[in-house]
Amino acid sequence: MYVTCLDLEGVLVPEIWIAFAEATGIPELKKTTRDEPDYDKLMNYRLAILKEHGLGLKEIQDVIATIDPMEGAKEFLDELRSVCQVLILSDTFSQFAAPLMKKLGMPTIFCNELIVGEDGAITGYKMRCEKSKYTTVKALQSCGFETIASGDSYNDLGMINASKAGFLFKSTDKIKADNPDLPAFETYDELLAAIKAVIAG
């Protein structure tokens, strides 16, 4: 049985931190996992900027409420879920993802947790497990599943390379150039066709 593992931001919904950077006028917050491979370094950088500007969870959630999935994302997910199990593996946080999951038809998502103070300030974060996407794919395989994976960023490469089939989707020129062996797609129709071809054998 196949499980397709998908990244969330940049694949199904716009990048949350970029949307927040644009809403607040803080360009430093536009940096994402496409730019910085070290997630811990990236998050500590973000938290320092939030603290400096006195911004907390509520301000981010207010922006997330205005974000819609990418055009065609829900239809793509619905079609994909009709042919295999689908699991969204994201390094975002449950406090960010919940409203977006409603707009996507409540797919299953595994993500991380923010640590939030009583005043709403984000004081830290808790990763679900180390190398969460890669670790989850290996765990699924240990349960007898075949995995297919797709994402756009550095932190997706582990699950993509560990899967029976893996695809880059809407990725950067740099990541595509560094991984010439990975098929790279720009549209949901292309990605869906490639996944269905793998499942069909």
Side-chain angles (χ1 to χ4, degrees):
M1 184 185 227
Y2 281 97
V3 177
T4 297
C5 299
L6 299 173
D7 179 35
L8 177 65
E9 293 179 69
V11 173
L12 298 170
V13 303
E15 293 280 354
I16 291 167
W17 287 98
I18 290 177
F20 187 61
E22 289 171 350
T24 56
I26 305 171
E28 295 87 350
L29 286 173
K30 286 189 176 180
K31 189 181 284 191
T32 71
T33 49
R34 289 172 163 221
D35 312 299
E36 174 53 69
D38 185 331
Y39 191 73
D40 192 53
K41 182 177 173 184
L42 176 63
M43 274 307 298
N44 286 321
Y45 166 82
R46 288 167 168 168
L47 294 183
I49 293 172
L50 292 178
K51 187 175 180 182
E52 178 190 337
H53 290 270
L55 297 167
L57 178 59
K58 182 185 183 304
E59 288 80 9
I60 301 175
Q61 287 179 327
D62 286 347
V63 172
I64 292 170
T66 70
I67 296 174
D68 287 321
M70 292 177 175
E71 188 175 344
K74 184 179 183 300
E75 293 77 8
F76 162 74
L77 263 186
D78 289 345
E79 177 72 14
L80 185 57
R81 290 161 81 187
S82 75
V83 296
C84 68
Q85 296 296 312
V86 178
L87 185 56
I88 297 174
L89 300 181
S90 175
D91 279 338
T92 193
F93 305 96
S94 58
Q95 295 96 329
F96 290 2
L100 295 167
M101 292 305 100
K102 286 181 183 172
K103 292 180 180 181
L104 285 169
M106 296 306 290
T108 301
I109 183 170
F110 289 179
C111 57
N112 304 310
E113 292 282 329
L114 288 170
I115 300 168
V116 184
E118 288 184 12
D119 60 353
I122 300 170
T123 58
Y125 62 97
K126 185 169 181 270
M127 300 295 279
R128 189 168 48 78
C129 58
E130 193 175 344
K131 294 183 181 174
S132 60
K133 299 183 183 188
Y134 170 81
T135 303
T136 303
V137 158
K138 296 306 286 184
L140 287 167
Q141 291 166 355
S142 75
C143 298
F145 293 105
E146 296 268 24
T147 61
I148 301 167
S150 184
D152 68 324
S153 298
Y154 285 106
N155 63 341
D156 298 314
L157 294 173
M159 71 170 180
I160 288 172
N161 287 316
S163 292
K164 177 171 183 179
F167 310 105
L168 292 172
F169 186 71
K170 294 184 183 289
S171 192
T172 65
D173 290 340
K174 172 98 171 62
I175 293 174
K176 286 189 277 193
D178 289 346
N179 298 274
D181 53 321
L182 293 178
F185 302 119
E186 297 297 321
T187 72
Y188 292 123
D189 286 346
E190 291 173 324
L191 182 58
L192 187 62
I195 293 170
K196 283 183 171 178
V198 174
I199 294 169

